Amino acid sequence: MNIAKNMEAIFVAIIAIAAAATSLATAAVPKFRAAPAPIAASADQATMHTVYVSAKRLSAEEKAAL
């Protein structure tokens, strides 16, 4: 049997079997019931952290020296 001549048919058959197996394997899974989401704090109550950078930028000469 020459497999090279039938490679497309073999590929399609494998994909069909994989799709059928996947749909059957996931058919019995119950639906997920999520717990209600906790109430998050509003932006008014949250503390905003601020970062202050006090460094100066490097000049072109300083960058070239690195």
Side-chain angles (χ1 to χ4, degrees), residues 14-61:
I14 290 172
I15 296 298
I17 292 170
T22 302
S23 64
L24 291 175
T26 58
V29 176
K31 291 192 175 192
F32 179 71
R33 297 186 68 177
I39 299 173
S42 66
D44 296 336
Q45 298 172 352
T47 303
M48 181 69 69
H49 297 286
T50 305
V51 177
Y52 177 74
V53 179
S54 62
K56 66 173 192 157
R57 291 181 161 258
L58 295 176
S59 65
E61 295 83 21

